Amino acid sequence: AQSVTQPDIHITVSEGASLELRCNYSYGATPYLFWYVQSPGQGLQLLLKYFSGDTLVQGIKGFEAEFKRSQSSFNLRKPSVHWSDAAEYFCARGPLLTGGGNKLTFGTGTQLKVEL
Amino acid sequence: GAGVSQSPRYKVTKRGQDVALRCDPISGHVSLYWYRQALGQGPEFLTYFNYEAQQDKSGLPNDRFSAERPEGSISTLTIQRTEQRDSAMYRCASSLTGTAIQETQYFGPGTRLLVL
């Protein structure tokens, strides 16, 4: 079955340091990929998405992600982390086929802690 | 409304009781999705609707779970004869048309269900 893997359950970075959260997917030559952020008490918020074109995608809050087909990866990056970025981050992919609805398959999430 | 709303935000029930979880999508959104998120996991798809029609219920774990969206707006997820394993965060999302595979899903804050 198609899956999304986030290898890192927890990551701690210092404020101002760079960040990279890993995401790998299985199946599908052209996956539709998303990164969501979940802050405490909030719903999931879309950071960015990729479906075609330029493999480097810019999102909100200074985040970007790069799609690498050869590595089946869609890692999320930020050059300088702010304390307010502490949250849980989820990578997700869309369905394999069009017409099959838009249900998302999520990874297990990475909890980001930011040290001041 | 401005975003997706869900009620109640927290629900504590005893094993064997029925519960009904409500989702009010963004006004005008055609598609509505239900996901379940166990502790330490990513959201898992349950079911989705386009207007009032339930398009896919493949993620509902068993026949104790059902969902409806009778007027194509508000949706109710019902769990009958709750069991402790049903304890989770139940999330609702909506999207504008449901036809574009890369369309953004907007998530509500979720309902935290605890079955004692």
Side-chain angles (χ1 to χ4, degrees):
Chain A
Q2 62 167 323
S3 68
V4 176
T5 303
Q6 293 180 249
D8 304 305
I9 299 173
H10 295 98
I11 282 186
T12 300
V13 299
S14 299
E15 191 176 34
S18 63
L19 171 70
E20 183 169 27
L21 302 182
R22 295 184 290 166
C23 173
N24 294 95
Y25 65 91
S26 65
Y27 293 99
T30 309
Y32 301 94
L33 298 165
F34 306 79
W35 274 100
Y36 280 85
V37 61
Q38 179 179 305
S39 300
Q42 304 295 317
L44 292 161
Q45 182 183 23
L46 180 70
L47 288 175
L48 47 78
K49 59 186 177 184
Y50 170 79
F51 50 93
S52 67
D54 193 345
T55 56
L56 185 62
V57 181
Q58 301 298 321
I60 63 171
K61 304 184 179 186
F63 285 92
E64 66 178 27
E66 186 171 12
F67 170 64
K68 292 185 178 180
R69 188 187 305 278
S70 62
Q71 298 178 18
S72 298
S73 70
F74 188 57
N75 294 349
L76 182 71
R77 302 194 296 243
K78 187 168 184 178
S80 177
V81 170
H82 188 263
W83 64 267
S84 61
D85 293 324
E88 190 159 22
Y89 292 80
F90 291 94
C91 182
R93 68 170 297 166
L96 291 174
L97 300 172
T98 58
N102 291 347
K103 60 185 179 183
L104 299 174
T105 299
F106 286 85
T108 52
T110 297
Q111 185 72 47
L112 173 65
K113 181 180 175 182
V114 180
E115 290 183 333
L116 299 176
Chain B
V4 179
S5 60
Q6 293 185 245
S7 61
R9 293 290 306 273
Y10 302 92
K11 178 70 177 178
V12 180
T13 190
K14 292 183 179 179
R15 183 165 51 96
Q17 296 295 305
D18 298 350
V19 296
L21 311 180
R22 173 186 165 124
C23 172
D24 196 348
I26 293 172
S27 179
H29 276 198
V30 168
S31 294
L32 184 148
Y33 306 81
W34 283 100
Y35 293 84
R36 179 171 70 171
Q37 185 175 3
L39 208 58
Q41 301 295 317
E44 289 185 308
F45 170 81
L46 295 177
T47 185
Y48 92 98
F49 295 81
N50 279 344
Y51 299 103
E52 72 282 356
Q54 191 170 20
Q55 300 292 326
D56 182 351
K57 54 182 182 179
S58 62
L60 296 176
N62 51 61
D63 60 8
R64 295 186 297 105
F65 287 72
S66 62
E68 62 175 8
R69 194 186 184 197
E71 298 179 358
S73 179
I74 292 168
S75 176
T76 302
L77 177 70
T78 301
I79 309 173
Q80 295 179 312
R81 306 180 302 281
T82 52
E83 300 178 4
Q84 288 181 328
R85 59 178 172 160
D86 300 334
S87 297
M89 176 74 83
Y90 289 83
R91 295 194 181 274
C92 175
S94 70
S95 67
L96 184 60
T97 68
T99 56
I101 203 166
Q102 68 274 26
E103 191 172 74
T104 297
Q105 294 183 23
Y106 297 88
F107 283 80
T111 294
R112 172 76 67 187
L113 174 66
L114 178 61
V115 182
L116 301 176

